[in-house]
Amino acid sequence: MSTSLASRVTGAELPLPYRVIARHADTDDTVTLELAYETAPLPAFAPGQFAMLTAYGIGEVPISLSGLPAPHETARRLTHTLRAVGAVTRALHAAGPGTVIGVRGPFGTTWDVPSAAGHDVVVVAGGIGLAPVRPIVQAVLAERDRYGEVVLLVGARTPADLLYRDDLDRWAAAGVQVGVTVDRPAEGWNGHVGVVPALVASARFRPGRSVGFVCGPEVMMRFTARALTDRGVPASRVRVSLERNMRCGAGWCGHCQLGPLLLCRDGPVVDYARAEPLLDVREL
Ligand SMILES: Cc1cc2nc3c(=O)[nH]c(=O)nc-3n(C[C@H](O)[C@H](O)[C@H](O)COP(=O)(O)OP(=O)(O)OC[C@H]3O[C@@H](n4cnc5c(N)ncnc54)[C@H](O)[C@@H]3O)c2cc1C
């Protein structure tokens, strides 16, 4: 790339090459990839933001940040967890250590974790939705004194679909109230069975002093946000992550328009007071 072109590239327009330096299989269809830059790093990503990942020759998809670098690691690494559902995510899922993929970003709004300081933090995730909220828990635990109770409620289809089991155990041992439920139990499962919004009612937090962070299928986010607001958490303090088909990532192409919002730019993280009337709008 010439110097003049390189100087114009912000990371939003052209994918920069990143190499897969580690690949962890979380479940049968989901992997976590650690990426390191080849030529130049992108600006730092914040929890809630996403990258456009390119499987060269196949295509590009939006994938959220799913991990913060450990304190001793360079902030230039990126962590993404993705579920193989179609051509591009299948190719990325198959990318082993050494594979070079393209990365654009960071894009979108953040969970704004620091604004929850002084409050209880209630994180609720369904399925692959645990990936985008994982950095919230990591950020809160890195500055534990700044926050009140920390609650993490997780739903998965089956016990085998549960992501980050080691993290869940570690976080529970660190005092996080971890609640896990599955739709379909397997033999040996002694935990909850049912939908994750149902766990909100018995979690211990101060509704008037809490911030809710919710990520998962839209129906799950609607019911969870209602369960939180029914307990008294203000809708303006419940944040959801909205997904629509995205192309440019920077608010240029309009593919991800939802009502007045371009979700790649005005989302994906939106407060529920704003999202509630939009959650009934189906994607075209
Ligand atoms: C802001 C944002 C963040 C995301 N973060 C993650 C993440 O961290 N991890 C992850 O695994 N996925 C994430 N996704 C979803 C991911 O982008 C899609 O799964 C991917 O685009 C599918 O592309 P594909 O070519 O593999 O499959 P396609 O052939 O495009 O689609 C295969 C199937 O998946 C469905 N699908 C496509 N896009 C989505 C979507 N956005 N949500 C739900 N279903 C979809 C299609 O309807 C189809 O049934 C995110 C999406 C957005 C918009």
Side-chain angles (χ1 to χ4, degrees), residues 37-59:
Y37 69 87
E38 286 282 281
T39 51
L42 290 167
F45 284 61
Q49 291 189 303
F50 66 94
M52 295 298 293
L53 299 186
T54 298
Y56 289 114
I58 301 180

Side-chain angles (χ1 to χ4, degrees), residues 31-129:
V31 291
T32 296
L33 302 178
E34 300 284 341
L35 307 175
Y37 69 87
E38 286 282 281
T39 51
L42 290 167
F45 284 61
Q49 291 189 303
F50 66 94
M52 295 298 293
L53 299 186
T54 298
Y56 289 114
I58 301 180
E60 190 183 45
V61 288
I63 300 291
S64 301
L65 185 75
S66 72
L68 297 179
H72 61 279
E73 281 176 354
T74 160
R76 304 292 168 72
R77 284 195 187 174
L78 290 175
T79 304
H80 294 284
T81 302
L82 54 97
R83 183 144 65 95
V85 296
V88 182
T89 46
R90 269 200 297 270
L92 293 169
H93 179 271
T99 309
V100 174
I101 67 178
V103 187
R104 293 193 292 132
F107 293 120
T109 51
T110 79
W111 290 112
D112 194 9
V113 181
S115 69
H119 292 73
D120 294 348
V121 172
V122 185
V123 180
V124 190
I128 189 72

Side-chain angles (χ1 to χ4, degrees), residues 199-253:
L199 300 185
V200 170
S202 56
R204 291 186 314 279
F205 59 89
R206 301 164 296 168
R209 295 288 301 163
S210 293
V211 179
F213 300 92
V214 186
C215 191
E218 282 192 6
V219 63
M220 168 267 171
M221 292 198 287
R222 259 204 311 269
F223 279 103
T224 303
R226 275 186 209 152
L228 289 167
T229 53
D230 284 352
R231 277 200 59 181
V233 183
S236 59
R237 268 198 262 123
V238 176
R239 296 171 197 156
V240 297
S241 182
L242 301 178
E243 289 187 7
R244 285 295 183 276
N245 195 342
M246 291 180 184
R247 291 282 163 81
C248 73
W252 301 322
C253 75

